[in-house]
């Protein structure tokens, strides 16, 4: 994959750098806030090498890349002239668009947690491993190794308000270091000691409610939000010459007592209410809660609303000391890995098989976007099978009342954090979800039509700019072009190519590109691929005489098309009954600009070129090979 070329093509596909308001990336996606979503060509971007899919959700235009997203983002940031080419959302001027409250909330939460999500997951796993080491007797709580590692893992969560203050201030465009100073006041050791002992202090006679803010989430987020209203007012009050000193000074003078007296207790109260609500629902019917979250968690991920659960889960750990949702979410994640394995075992398409195989590993490690968008959701049925498996596995984990002692990404790596109450149930739930996801997908995850359309790449056209794959436009048996009963095609006067005796009535796009010609009779269609290959698909011999009878064109001239998109519907048996040869020809009309190759074996021949083609018959697993030589 050429990361520079992909970045350049993505930038063009979203409407150029002039259409970007904000650009950043997370673990698997390029995320944009565009000035005009209509200028972006999602189909064109999806067809690019290395792009899994495109999602326009929660006010963000997202291009799903997978684990190599950072390598694509770096050249894109340079091409777009981004001032802050990192994985955080850049500061941009308000474009005047109205955004829904839900989208704003989701955008705020994702912007706050995304920058340190990896570090937080690592710290959570470390705490889980230390718990495992204690239970196995490998370490003791008094050992120096345990204390040092525990400080590294637990310290992240203990001082979490400081990290949240920094990222929230960046998101809300206020002074990050003042926000951090405010957060340090909340976790200042002397104040923590006072509140922990339930002592009461007052601020000029106003009592301060004793509340502990270490490991808390909501209080500091509320405090920075309030600060975002006060800071602009202070900036207007103080002249520019003294603003850099006096604005921070008065912010601290105002916000520290306001947070400790009002905002902090209010946030703590909201957190307690959320935790109590989650606990009440979960305790009422834990198996049902597990089934629902196991089934629908990946749906939440698709729409981006999963971010709203992050502060709730972290708040549960801070308030209750555990979270009941995280083990269930791991079950939902692992069910996707199982479905991907089912696709890997069942599919005969080499590209899908390769993508599904790699997606199993990434999903087991907690990264499901490549699995969802590239495999299960793309094929539809496997996603449903994974949801069913997730529901059953989630019911088992929920019914056993499994808990997470620390926050980390839902995955197999999180298992040590589930030690304790319900650990056996979550292990059983994970195994059931994985195995059932694979079995259900293998047995019921494919329609007969999808299996028939599972085809290998038949030819590869290569030019100086790179490689482009051309697949067969129709299911059937490949024959050498020279055997076609039409001298014009057989002599290759129109160009080199292949011929197929069809077993299907649907002609599909052999490549992504633009429809260059649609014949009124429907018997032929021209395509120009994105890399410049000129492809002609001709259905039958002398079928122009039918004047469109038995043909139905499904696309229009100049229409953008993607690989595999239906182009023409025809009745192959009716053509044969009418006395016409129904052989389908695929011709590269600008053959002179290309060389055609397939394998190393092909390139080793003495001929100027050899086109070796393979067409799998998915019903009997036999292969037909045809060679066309040009000397």
């Amino acid at each position: 994959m050429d990361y520079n070329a992909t970045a350049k093509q993505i930038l063009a596909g979203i409407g150029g750098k002039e259409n970007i308001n904000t650009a950043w990336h997370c673990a698997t996606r390029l995320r944009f806030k565009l000035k005009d979503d209509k200028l972006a060509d999602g189909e064109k971007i999806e067809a690019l090498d290395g792009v899994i899919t495109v999602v326009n959700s929660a006010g963000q235009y997202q291009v799903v890349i997978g684990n190599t997203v950072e390598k694509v983002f770096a050249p894109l940031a340079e091409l777009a002239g981004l001032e802050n080419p990192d994985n955080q959302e850049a500061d941009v001027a308000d474009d005047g668009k109205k955004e829904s409250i839900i989208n704003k909330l989701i955008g705020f939460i994702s912007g706050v947690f995304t920058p340190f999500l990896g570090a937080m997951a690592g710290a959570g796993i470390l705490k889980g491993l230390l718990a495992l080491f204690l239970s196995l007797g490998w370490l003791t709580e008094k050992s120096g190794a345990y204390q040092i590692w525990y400080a590294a893992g637990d310290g992240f969560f203990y001082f979490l308000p400081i990290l949240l203050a920094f990222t929230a201030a960046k998101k809300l465009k206020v002074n990050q270091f003042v926000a951090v100073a405010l957060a340090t006041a909340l976790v200042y050791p002397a104040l923590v000691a006072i509140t922990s002992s339930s002592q009461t202090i007052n601020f000029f006679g106003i009592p301060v409610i004793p509340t502990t803010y270490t490991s808390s989430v909501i209080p500091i987020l509320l405090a920075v939000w309030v600060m975002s209203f006060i800071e602009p007012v202070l900036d207007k009050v103080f002249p520019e010459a003294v603003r850099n000193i006096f604005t921070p000074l008065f912010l601290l003078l105002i916000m520290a007592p306001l947070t400790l007296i009002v905002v902090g207790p209010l946030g703590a109260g909201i957190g307690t209410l959320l935790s109590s609500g989650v606990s009440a629902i979960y305790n009422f019917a834990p198996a049902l809660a597990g089934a629902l979250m196991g089934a629908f968690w990946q749906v939440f991920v698709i729409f981006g609303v999963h971010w709203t659960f992050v502060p709730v889960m972290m708040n549960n750990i801070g308030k209750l000391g555990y979270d009941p949702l995280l083990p269930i979410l791991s079950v939902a994640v692992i069910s996707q890995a199982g479905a991907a394995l089912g696709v890997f075992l069942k599919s005969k398409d080499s590209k899908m098989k390769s993508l599904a195989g790699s997606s199993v590993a990434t999903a087991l490690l907690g990264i499901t976007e490549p699995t969802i968008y590239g495999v299960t959701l793309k094929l539809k049925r496997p996603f449903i099978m994974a949801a069913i498996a997730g529901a059953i596995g989630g019911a088992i984990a929920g019914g056993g009342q499994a808990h997470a002692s620390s926050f980390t990404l839902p995955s197999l790596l999180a298992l040590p954090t589930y030690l304790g109450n319900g650990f056996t149930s979550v292990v059983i739930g994970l195994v059931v979800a994985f195995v059932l996801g694979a079995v259900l997908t293998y047995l019921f995850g494919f329609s007969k039509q999808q299996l028939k359309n599972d085809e290998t790449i038949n030819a590869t056209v290569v030019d100086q700019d790179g490689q482009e794959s051309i697949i067969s436009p129709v299911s059937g048996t490949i024959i050498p072009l020279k055997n076609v009963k039409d001298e014009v095609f057989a002599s290759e006067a129109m160009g080199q190519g292949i011929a197929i005796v069809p077993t299907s009535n649907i002609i599909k796009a052999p490549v992504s590109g633009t429809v260059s010609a649609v014949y009124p009779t429907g018997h032929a269609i021209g395509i120009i691929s994105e890399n410049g290959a000129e492809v002609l698909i001709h259905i039958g011999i002398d079928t122009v005489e039918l004047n469109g009878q038995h043909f139905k064109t499904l696309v229009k001239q100049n229409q953008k098309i993607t690989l595999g998109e239906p182009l023409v519907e025809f009745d192959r048996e009716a053509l044969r009954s009418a006395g016409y040869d129904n052989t389908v020809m695929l011709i590269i009309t600008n053959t002179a600009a290309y060389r055609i190759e397939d394998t190393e074996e092909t390139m080793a021949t003495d001929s100027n070129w050899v086109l070796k083609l393979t067409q799998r018959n998915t019903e009997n697993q036999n292969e037909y090979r045809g060679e066309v030589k040009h000397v």
Side-chain angles (χ1 to χ4, degrees):
M1 176 179 172
D2 187 336
Y3 301 113
N4 290 316
T6 300
K8 184 177 181 180
Q9 291 169 319
I10 290 174
L11 187 60
I14 63 173
K17 62 182 181 181
E18 298 82 8
N19 195 34
I20 297 177
N21 262 340
T22 309
W24 72 104
H25 75 85
C26 59
T28 57
R29 313 183 193 192
L30 297 173
R31 296 175 180 267
F32 302 92
K33 283 193 175 180
L34 303 178
K35 295 178 181 177
D36 187 355
D37 292 350
K38 295 179 181 178
L39 296 180
D41 190 337
E43 292 183 356
K44 180 179 179 181
I45 297 173
E46 280 190 351
L48 297 176
D49 180 33
V51 174
I52 296 174
T53 192
V54 172
V55 181
N56 195 353
S57 175
Q60 299 174 11
Y61 196 86
Q62 305 168 19
V63 181
V64 183
I65 302 292
N67 294 334
T68 59
V69 64
E70 190 172 354
K71 295 181 179 179
V72 176
F73 181 77
L76 187 144
E78 185 175 351
L79 289 168
L82 301 179
E83 294 182 1
N84 298 303
D86 55 22
N87 68 332
Q88 300 179 34
E89 187 174 350
D91 292 341
V92 293
D94 186 5
D95 62 352
K97 284 185 179 180
K98 289 186 177 180
E99 197 173 14
S100 70
I101 294 176
I102 295 298
N103 283 348
K104 285 182 178 180
L105 177 62
I106 293 171
F108 174 69
I109 295 174
S110 66
V112 168
F113 284 97
T114 297
F116 57 74
L117 201 56
M120 183 167 62
I125 293 172
L126 177 56
K127 289 186 66 177
L129 289 174
L130 290 174
L132 177 63
F133 295 162
L134 284 178
S135 65
L136 294 174
W138 294 355
L139 291 175
T140 65
E141 291 184 352
K142 294 183 179 180
S143 65
Y146 176 85
Q147 292 181 40
I148 291 172
W149 279 333
Y150 189 80
D154 190 57
F156 187 99
F157 296 97
Y158 187 89
F159 295 107
L160 183 62
I162 296 176
L163 301 171
L164 291 170
F166 190 81
T167 54
K170 180 178 176 61
K171 180 70 179 177
L172 296 174
K173 303 178 180 66
V174 295
N175 192 310
Q176 291 172 272
F177 300 101
V178 174
V180 166
L182 180 61
T184 57
L186 295 182
V187 296
Y188 191 67
L191 285 179
V192 171
I194 292 172
T195 55
S196 297
S197 61
S198 298
Q199 298 180 40
T200 302
I201 60 174
N202 63 78
F203 180 78
F204 293 112
I206 303 173
V208 176
I209 301 173
T211 306
T212 301
Y213 297 105
T214 55
S215 302
S216 64
V217 174
I218 298 175
I220 188 61
L221 295 181
L222 275 179
V224 176
W225 178 69
V226 171
M227 178 178 151
S228 69
F229 292 96
I230 297 175
E231 184 177 301
V233 175
L234 293 176
D235 279 342
K236 292 179 180 179
V237 170
F238 297 112
E240 188 174 352
V242 297
R243 185 179 299 157
N244 288 341
I245 297 174
F246 282 92
T247 293
L249 169 61
F250 278 86
L251 273 176
L252 291 175
L253 286 172
I254 297 169
M255 285 304 305
L258 182 62
T259 300
L260 289 168
I261 296 170
V262 181
V263 179
L266 176 61
I270 293 173
T272 300
L273 187 63
L274 286 174
S275 296
S276 300
V278 171
S279 297
I281 296 171
Y282 182 80
N283 292 331
F284 175 73
L288 178 60
L292 292 175
M293 292 300 292
F296 293 105
W297 177 247
Q298 296 300 335
V299 177
F300 297 152
V301 171
I302 292 170
F303 289 101
V305 297
H306 63 299
W307 283 109
T308 58
F309 289 88
V310 174
V312 175
M313 292 183 290
M314 296 187 67
N315 181 74
N316 287 340
I317 292 172
K319 293 289 183 182
L320 306 175
Y322 63 88
D323 176 67
L325 299 180
L326 283 166
I328 298 169
L329 305 188
S330 286
V331 171
V333 167
I334 299 307
S335 71
Q336 291 290 331
L341 178 62
V343 173
F344 173 78
L345 295 174
K346 186 76 169 183
S347 178
K348 303 300 184 296
D349 181 88
S350 58
K351 285 185 69 176
M352 179 55 70
K353 202 174 187 71
S354 175
L355 181 58
S358 63
S359 294
V360 174
T362 56
L364 289 174
L365 296 177
I367 306 297
T368 56
E369 280 89 342
T371 308
I372 295 172
Y373 296 116
V375 182
T376 59
L377 189 62
K378 186 174 185 178
L379 297 174
K380 295 182 178 62
R381 284 192 183 186
F383 186 85
I384 297 173
M385 299 302 110
I388 295 171
I392 296 173
I396 295 172
Q401 297 190 332
H403 291 162
S405 60
S406 182
F407 183 91
T408 188
L409 294 178
S411 69
L412 283 185
L413 295 176
L415 265 177
T417 67
Y418 307 149
L419 286 171
N421 186 43
F423 180 71
T424 302
S425 67
V426 74
V427 172
I428 295 174
L430 289 168
V431 172
V432 168
F434 182 76
V435 174
L436 195 59
V439 172
L440 288 177
T441 298
Y442 188 87
L443 295 177
F444 309 109
F446 290 80
S447 65
K448 291 182 179 180
Q449 187 62 39
Q450 283 177 321
L451 289 175
K452 286 182 179 180
N453 291 338
D454 254 357
E455 300 174 67
T456 58
I457 294 176
N458 299 319
T460 301
V461 177
V462 181
D463 62 14
Q464 294 180 348
D465 295 328
Q467 184 168 297
E468 183 174 0
S469 297
I470 312 291
I471 70 168
S472 172
V474 66
S475 300
T477 303
I478 296 173
I479 62 175
L481 192 62
K482 66 180 180 181
N483 291 355
V484 172
K485 298 174 184 178
D486 186 297
E487 184 59 30
V488 174
F489 292 114
S491 66
E492 300 179 350
M494 296 190 67
Q496 301 160 4
I498 60 173
I500 309 102
V501 178
T503 58
S504 168
N505 290 336
I506 300 293
I507 300 295
K508 296 186 176 182
V511 68
S512 296
T514 304
V515 176
S516 58
V518 176
Y519 293 85
T521 53
H523 77 291
I525 192 166
I527 301 168
I528 298 179
S529 77
E530 291 176 344
N531 288 340
E534 297 176 7
V535 181
L536 172 65
I537 301 173
H538 196 285
I539 308 167
I541 297 173
D542 295 330
T543 49
V544 65
E545 298 171 357
L546 292 171
N547 292 318
Q549 189 178 4
H550 308 309
F551 292 94
K552 181 181 179 181
T553 305
L554 306 177
V555 292
K556 299 178 180 179
Q557 190 161 337
N558 297 322
Q559 180 177 329
K560 296 284 185 180
I561 56 172
T562 57
L563 185 68
E565 183 175 344
L567 305 176
V568 177
E569 184 177 345
F570 70 107
D571 190 334
R572 68 184 190 282
E573 295 300 333
L575 296 184
R576 186 179 294 277
S577 298
Y580 292 89
D581 188 327
N582 63 10
T583 301
V584 177
M585 281 74 68
L586 182 148
I587 310 297
I588 309 299
T589 57
N590 61 340
T591 295
Y594 296 87
R595 72 180 190 278
I596 301 180
E597 61 183 22
D598 188 23
T599 64
E600 292 181 3
E601 177 187 355
T602 297
M603 299 303 293
T605 62
D606 295 329
S607 308
N608 290 338
W609 63 266
V610 177
L611 173 60
K612 177 179 282 187
L613 306 164
T614 302
Q615 177 73 32
R616 282 184 181 158
N617 184 315
T618 57
E619 294 179 357
N620 55 30
Q621 303 300 307
N622 292 330
E623 291 187 348
Y624 174 86
R625 293 182 180 272
E627 291 187 358
V628 184
K629 297 185 179 181
H630 175 72
V631 182

